[in-house]
Amino acid sequence: MKKLVRSAVVLTAGVALAGLSACGGGGGSTGETGSPEPTGQTGGVALEKFDPCTFFKPDELKSFGLQEQGEEFTPVSFEPGCTWKGEQMSLTFQKNVEETVASYEKNGNWERYDKQSVGGRSGVVANVPGGGATGGCNVLVDAGGGVVIYGVSGRLADSVDACAEAEKIANATASRLPE
């Protein structure tokens, strides 16, 4: 039952993010020739080669109470990533080269969307509707022209403060994300 609740939270977040991408229009080329936009806000060029599954160092994962070995977690093709499990919580870490923190805000269905600096970058702490009640929380951070998504879910609804844990992990590691 615990795994089902956690899976439902993660799936709900993935479906919400999938809907955002479908509505957001993404970024990238508009069909014009020439160089890409210099702002780096769409198209995720630097993020394209970034591997979320190899981002965390083994000692970091241990310090977060997670197993060192992750598993692929890609509920939607445009948000590849991995998940790591621990006794109290699990962590998902994904990327999206077509979206940004700003585009998710405009196109999303969020119960909470609190903008803040995360590791010196534009970020947000967010919950999908109902996500907060089941111990799930996401931190989105602009990186490499796209966005990365840190997601924490408690093993039980009250096993951890998911948002505090997601913020702690994101703040400790976001400075290493692609520019």
Side-chain angles (χ1 to χ4, degrees):
M1 182 64 176
K2 295 177 200 173
K3 190 172 185 176
L4 179 60
V5 169
R6 187 176 70 243
S7 296
V9 170
V10 171
L11 180 59
T12 301
V15 169
L17 295 175
L20 294 173
S21 294
C23 297
S29 175
T30 60
E32 297 176 13
T33 58
S35 55
E37 294 179 35
T39 61
Q41 293 300 306
T42 59
V45 175
L47 197 58
E48 285 179 11
K49 294 181 182 179
F50 175 73
D51 183 359
C53 298
T54 60
F55 176 69
F56 294 106
K57 298 172 185 173
D59 60 330
E60 284 177 325
L61 292 165
K62 280 196 256 183
S63 75
F64 302 144
L66 301 167
Q67 297 172 357
E68 292 177 40
Q69 184 63 39
E71 299 174 12
E72 184 178 326
F73 180 77
T74 305
V76 290
S77 63
F78 50 86
E79 287 183 349
C82 278
T83 185
W84 294 266
K85 295 179 178 137
E87 287 186 32
Q88 299 296 315
M89 66 180 189
S90 63
L91 167 69
T92 59
F93 187 60
Q94 298 166 269
K95 69 177 183 178
N96 185 316
V97 299
E98 296 295 324
E99 296 288 346
T100 63
V101 167
S103 67
Y104 271 133
E105 179 182 26
K106 292 176 188 173
N107 303 314
N109 179 22
W110 303 100
E111 184 174 285
R112 172 184 179 190
Y113 205 82
D114 298 334
K115 295 181 208 173
Q116 60 188 40
S117 176
V118 178
R121 297 167 184 254
S122 176
V124 66
V125 177
N127 291 95
V128 294
T134 55
C137 189
N138 298 304
V139 174
L140 290 74
V141 181
D142 281 334
V147 66
V148 296
I149 305 155
Y150 296 81
V152 170
S153 296
R155 299 290 262 176
L156 299 171
D158 60 353
S159 63
V160 297
D161 180 340
C163 287
E165 289 297 320
E167 287 181 74
K168 176 181 84 174
I169 294 168
N171 277 309
T173 61
S175 65
R176 297 193 331 254
L177 293 168
E179 291 292 329

